[in-house]
Amino acid sequence: MNPRRTSKPIQIGSVTVGGNAPIVVQSMTKTDTRDVMSTINQIKELEECGCELVRVAVPDSEAAQAISAIKRDVSLPIIADIHFDYRLALIALKAGVDGLRLNPGNISEPGKVKAVAQAAKERSVPIRIGVNAGSLPKTANPKLTIAQQMVEAALQQIKLLESLDFDLIKVSLKAFDVPTTIEAYRDIAQKIPYPLHIGITEAGTPRTGIIRSTVGISTLLYLGIGDTIRVSLTAHPREEVIAAYEILKSLDLRQHGPILVSCPSCGRAEVDIVKLAEAVEEELIKIDKPIKVAVMGCVVNGPGEAKDADVGIACGKAKAVLFKKGEKIGVVEEKDFVTVLMREVEKF
Ligand code: SF4
């Protein structure tokens, strides 16, 4: 795995992005931002499952103003997602937003960017230059590849912000196409010092979107690229946060809650391992300890994996051997598998 690219850290409310800070997990609310109570409730749900930054859509001035009321009730830093109308960014800043996302594909006129940059600088609020392959600036050179056009769009906006003495910058270059996204990030990573927000845009429903996002995000992270991630899914945003942590845990980049090791099951299993693993997974959602739990179907690989975990069971016919830190600590009846395993997890 490549060492992480060095980036210039920025501060979004209480959260540092870039530098040596842990790779930050973020998501976006799917409520109407003008519906303050629903948005607050969804942000609280996201915070409970470990989300560290949250973006809200700002389609009009009422949504921008709502940020003030939302912020009074939540502790997660809030980023306003602004398109088309730079004045919404000014209202969001007055409302106390912690970060802005501007799309250079629809806000790029120097006078408008200058007004936003000045107001953001007064409040030390960072701006993400959020380039999206689906909304590139009209001035993009069609002779370039999409990845190159995305990089160009970001570099132009960076140049403009730097000319205004603004450097609280974060950049994203998102496409649905994974190779395009990777190519764009690899290119810009060598050209700028700013932290990178990575993700695959419009990745789809959890079944396909998690795979597409994981391929893109984990390839970049393995290359040392990425300071904050969002897994975009057509689902409740909680699923985005859970998937993001699974990616980071798989690469040993963050610890967050339990890791479940479970065998796929096969003709050797004498208990319903699929059902058992799903039941254990459901229980583990409530645990926030970084603990490794194994659920194995038989004596072939079962004892080895179960021993390697902090707590594990290797099942046989209607019974399982229970392991804790590599030691066999008992034999459990099938009806008690989940209860006994979770009791040991909680004691751990
Ligand atoms: Fe099959 Fe046993 Fe391996 Fe599970 S641990 S997949 S039951 S051989």
Side-chain angles (χ1 to χ4, degrees):
M1 188 145 139
N2 288 2
R4 185 160 161 206
R5 162 185 168 268
T6 307
S7 65
K8 187 175 174 304
I10 55 167
Q11 198 65 27
I12 304 177
S14 55
V15 174
T16 306
V17 176
N20 294 323
I23 293 166
V24 172
V25 169
Q26 59 174 289
S27 184
M28 185 165 180
T29 51
K30 306 194 177 187
T31 51
D32 181 338
T33 309
R34 293 165 293 198
D35 179 349
V36 172
M37 272 326 292
S38 300
T39 305
I40 288 172
N41 289 339
Q42 194 161 82
I43 293 174
K44 287 184 173 169
E45 281 180 89
L46 287 171
E47 186 173 15
E48 268 170 31
C49 62
C51 183
E52 295 165 308
L53 285 178
V54 67
R55 185 158 44 115
V56 299
V58 179
D60 60 18
S61 59
E62 196 187 331
Q65 275 155 359
I67 289 171
S68 155
I70 295 167
K71 271 199 66 74
R72 276 198 291 276
D73 243 3
V74 302
S75 49
L76 279 189
I78 295 181
I79 299 168
D81 194 55
I82 311 287
H83 296 265
F84 305 109
D85 189 348
Y86 77 104
R87 290 168 300 184
L88 300 177
L90 300 179
I91 300 170
L93 284 165
K94 275 196 193 138
V97 83
D98 302 286
L100 291 173
R101 182 267 171 122
L102 299 187
N103 181 343
N106 51 46
I107 301 178
S108 60
E109 281 175 45
K112 295 175 179 174
V113 175
K114 184 177 177 186
V116 176
Q118 275 176 347
K121 193 173 176 185
E122 279 164 20
R123 295 165 173 85
S124 300
V125 168
I127 297 176
R128 165 157 71 99
I129 299 173
V131 179
N132 193 305
S135 52
L136 285 164
K138 291 186 185 65
T139 51
N141 179 354
K143 289 189 184 143
L144 299 177
T145 64
I146 297 293
Q148 288 167 336
Q149 290 181 42
M150 289 162 70
V151 171
E152 271 310 300
L155 291 178
Q156 276 176 22
Q157 193 94 319
I158 289 169
K159 207 166 144 196
L160 177 56
L161 288 174
E162 286 176 340
S163 74
L164 300 166
D165 198 26
F166 187 91
D167 66 352
L168 303 175
I169 297 171
K170 176 162 59 101
V171 175
S172 65
L173 306 170
K174 296 191 187 177
F176 172 76
D177 184 67
V178 173
T180 299
T181 308
I182 293 170
E183 193 192 324
Y185 276 108
R186 286 185 73 175
D187 186 11
I188 206 156
Q190 303 164 26
K191 293 181 171 159
I192 60 167
Y194 303 114
L196 295 173
H197 162 134
I198 62 171
I200 302 297
T201 197
E202 292 114 26
T205 57
R207 182 174 288 182
T208 52
I210 289 176
I211 293 171
R212 182 168 280 273
S213 294
T214 304
V215 172
I217 292 172
S218 56
T219 303
L220 286 166
L221 291 173
Y222 194 81
L223 294 170
I225 296 170
D227 301 287
T228 174
I229 68 174
R230 180 198 175 193
V231 176
S232 303
L233 294 175
T234 314
H236 191 285
R238 188 194 311 110
E239 302 304 319
E240 300 187 353
V241 176
I242 293 168
Y245 275 112
E246 288 304 321
I247 293 173
L248 295 174
K249 284 180 343 190
S250 301
L251 288 166
D252 289 334
L253 289 168
R254 294 279 305 261
Q255 285 195 332
H256 182 83
I259 293 175
L260 176 62
V261 180
S262 62
C263 83
S265 189
C266 72
R268 286 182 191 275
E270 293 179 280
V271 296
D272 186 344
I273 287 297
V274 177
K275 202 167 145 198
L276 176 61
E278 282 173 357
V280 173
E281 186 177 45
E282 221 25 65
E283 291 298 316
L284 289 178
I285 287 174
K286 301 165 203 159
I287 307 287
D288 58 8
K289 287 178 264 195
I291 180 172
K292 192 170 175 187
V293 179
V295 174
M296 302 298 292
C298 77
V299 292
V300 176
N301 296 317
E305 287 290 354
K307 270 186 189 170
D308 188 48
D310 295 311
V311 180
I313 53 172
C315 301
K317 191 167 186 178
K319 284 188 172 39
V321 181
L322 180 67
F323 293 90
K324 191 165 179 177
K325 275 282 170 206
E327 299 294 326
K328 181 177 160 183
I329 58 165
V331 173
V332 188
E333 297 290 325
E334 187 169 353
K335 65 176 175 39
D336 302 324
F337 283 173
V338 179
T339 324
V340 173
L341 191 68
M342 290 313 298
R343 194 187 304 143
E344 290 307 323
V345 166
E346 271 157 29
K347 274 200 251 161
F348 197 81

